[in-house]
Amino acid sequence: MGKWIQALIYFVLRRLMHRRYDVEVIGLEKLESLEGPVLVLPNHPAYVDPPIVLSHLRFGKSLRPLVFTDTYRSPLFYPLMKVIDAYEVPNLQSHSRDAHTKTTQLIEEVAGELNHGQSFLIYPSGRLQRQGYEIVGGARIAYELLERVDNVNVVLVRTRGLWGSRYGCAQEGDVPALGRNALASFFWVLAGLVFFLPKRKVTLEVHPVNRDELPMESKTALNRHLEGFYNADGGETAKFVPYNYFFGPREFDFDAVKKKGAVDLSEVPESTVHEVYEIVEHRLDRKLEESEKEPSTTLDMLGLDSLERMDLALELERQYGFRSDHVPASVGELCLLAAGKAPTDEQPLEVPEGWVDETKTSTDYPEILAETIAEAFVRRALQSANHTAVADPLSGALNYRKLLIGATLLSKRIAKLESKSVGIMLPASVAADSVVLATLIAGKLPVMLNWTTGPAGLRHATEKLEVSHVVTSKRFMDRLGVEIDGVEMFYLEDVREGISTWEKLRTLIATYIASGSFLSHLPQPNPDDPAVILFTSGSESLPKAVPLSHRNLIADMRGGIDHMNFHRSDTLLGFLPPFHSFGLTAASLMPLLSGIRVVHHADPTDSRMLARIIAAYKPTFTFTTPTFLQYIVSSSEPGELDSLRLVMVGAEKCPTSLYEQTMKILPDLDLLEGYGITECSPVVSGNKPGQNKPGTIGLPINCVETLVVHPESHEPLPQGEAGLLLIRGDSVFDGYYKYDAPQPFLEVNGHRWYNSGDLVAKDEDGFIQFRGRLKRFLKIGGEMVSLPALEAPLAEKFPADEEGPKVAVEGVEKDGGRCIVLFTTEDLTLREANDLLKQAGFHGIMRLDEVRQIETIPVLGTGKTNYRQLRGWLEEGSEVTANS
């Protein structure tokens, strides 16, 4: 019965097609003698050629077409797809490891169907033609199928006459919108009264081929053979055929479309372009010809199939930190992705329903309501149940009631995990907030994992804390491409599927009629028990595990709220990852516990999206690093950042050039520099609104005391003298976890102080001036040489931009003396660099010994310069291009 229905549909389709297309099939009679499964392999000039081929190749076989999921699932075509028994294919325009796996499975499944006698219509290129000839390139599906199936008839089809159709790429320069063009065609059909349409001449040349005659020694050989058949006549010139004899357009300027679609690399650094060439050459295992380096060179032409193109795009994302949902199709598009300039179809962001909360006023004080994290959250959630708590572009906006319900349901699953410590690996998001809170409600210890440390660093962290499970999401891991040995992944997607509607409803009802039960079921930790494990940044040494107690975190949050004079009407933009101490404490826990709305974005390097989020959600303040702020300011459009009244930067010195650039576009902004250390939960000091001294890291917050001592004698120093910064107070941790070396504490004046390892001085008003890391000083001839001080004037001359830092100074002491090196992306000689230092007032031993030009300055996931890697290059004697 099914075959008769299909035959009827194809008959009707053929008659409808005849109104617009004059189709001639050459060689159809050659198919009558075919026995067994058939694999039809046509070229693909337009979206309309599949129905033409399916309805005109009549030889007693039921062909199953492979159809991409976007078309397959379209409401307009889905019923037809089911009737003709189309085979759904994952869309590889969105690149991910999951799509990669599904495509591999697809090939195996289709091969199995062919071996069982099923026949298929498959396009070897896997995509629409982008020009008047077919490029199979590195596509693998035809080769993989023929490798797996011996007894299959191969039918090659060369379609001519459709290049230039509105259903192809010639008119738009890219893949056309199928639904929109179908509706436009329907309009023209009606306008032409169905029977009076100019016809487009189409020919289908059908050639059965003996499988044994195909060149199967390699994928490349087969694909070149297919291209030779499809393009035997030299390809096609785009042809426009009007839809009406009397009115409407009579011609089309195809050349203008070609010019419009050209890739412009004028704003991409030349160094980035050359790096992309090298990456592509490594992938191809050969050098690129000069002609192949043209921006318009498609990756198909280079022999890269859809899976290889996807892998290449993911590699560039991991290396450069920029993302795009579009898989690059050409060398030029690869360069744009690497430079963070991949084209996007920007639409104004829609703020989710419930985000605006007009019930809060500027007089409402943000208050933390308990002495442990889980209790403070539950009390806040019960008190502010209907107030907006958190949002992100993926999850929308959640009020406290919904957040409490989600965290409670998740906590019951996390409570069943075997180990006390639970790894958490998620970006800044509603999901990350929910998981941290759920883990604490479950009585477990959250271990915040820094995925930028790579597999070795992650394995080190999970082994040290004896983590058996890591909570994450498939979506995130799919994009990240990182694996952790020795642990089981606990995916949020699986958890959601396992929660019944009844359990959700029961928990919702409890928030109204049994709210006290949420408090009574909480664990009762001591405030001095660890609440979370973070890790040091690793910029100077291997990361160390930092246990922060409930007392540490809550003292720091309360101190920060008082210091900055926040209001509950404020809104925070939080995008630093939760493995970053500022990201967890200041941009996640602090707003959630105190009642301040927070909107998250998962990627701190996605500067363009961050600017758009600020424009849409209108946050009033944010915490960031100078590097990330530079990205945002450089990527923003006029007016997008106007809602910000306060920005606090830390983790590295804020360049004067960035301060001036930011204040120029936001003259009313309080751009404040602060100072924090993971071991101090993290905020130690900061400038205040209305009490700001640019160039300093401000005043200590009220929960800490600070002391400046001599770096060697540890004697307290008078005001104005630079020395070692010591810190004590409720926000200071109690020591590294499972740490064999001496703990970082000193006894001075009868008190135990945390040794920050940083050199500072205090001015007459008590403002702290940061002078650099003690570890980043070299002792030469009895004098201390500050590497950050040498770097500062060079960084002023060559400020960081959206591409990252341009200079970094590192040095080591060697047997033969010192070695202080300027690493730079600029074309700068040693003499020029030292002249700049002289102009800044440095003389004698305060000079550079070498300049090394490198493609990019290495940075950590937090945006900090990775000095440990630079120092490693010096200690290992790595060869880097040096300018003398």
Side-chain angles (χ1 to χ4, degrees), residues 123-232:
Y123 290 89
S125 66
R127 63 198 296 247
L128 283 179
Q129 287 179 197
R130 265 47 172 192
Q131 51 284 307
Y133 52 91
E134 187 82 354
I135 295 177
V136 182
R140 59 186 284 197
I141 190 165
Y143 178 77
E144 296 283 354
L145 289 175
L146 292 175
E147 274 280 283
R148 289 165 170 75
V149 184
D150 294 325
N151 62 331
V152 63
N153 298 287
V154 179
V155 176
L156 304 183
V157 178
R158 181 168 51 235
T159 304
R160 287 291 178 266
L162 292 176
W163 182 243
S165 161
R166 71 182 315 130
Y167 291 104
C169 296
Q171 290 195 24
E172 298 185 24
D174 202 349
V175 177
L178 182 55
R180 173 168 53 81
N181 282 288
L183 290 174
S185 296
F186 180 71
F187 166 79
W188 284 111
V189 167
L190 292 180
L193 302 178
V194 180
F195 297 99
F196 302 102
L197 291 171
K199 290 188 177 182
R200 179 180 285 272
K201 175 67 176 178
V202 178
T203 60
L204 304 179
E205 298 179 49
V206 179
H207 289 258
V209 179
N210 189 321
R211 181 196 175 281
D212 296 334
E213 296 176 0
L214 294 172
M216 293 297 297
E217 59 268 22
S218 70
K219 175 187 72 176
T220 301
L222 176 65
N223 289 350
R224 295 296 84 79
H225 179 83
L226 294 176
E227 288 176 353
F229 171 77
Y230 297 138
N231 305 319

Side-chain angles (χ1 to χ4, degrees), residues 74 109 146 214 218 272 324 339 415 506 570 683 686 703 712 719 873:
S74 166
E109 291 172 4
L146 292 175
L214 294 172
S218 70
T272 302
S324 172
R506 192 170 67 238
D570 276 319
V683 183
C703 65
E712 296 176 345
Q719 172 192 305
W873 289 348

Side-chain angles (χ1 to χ4, degrees), residues 414 417 419-424 439 444-447 467 469 471:
I414 292 177
L417 302 181
S419 63
K420 170 68 176 176
S421 301
V422 175
I424 298 175
T439 304
K444 302 285 188 179
L445 178 62
V447 178
V467 169
H469 290 78
V471 183

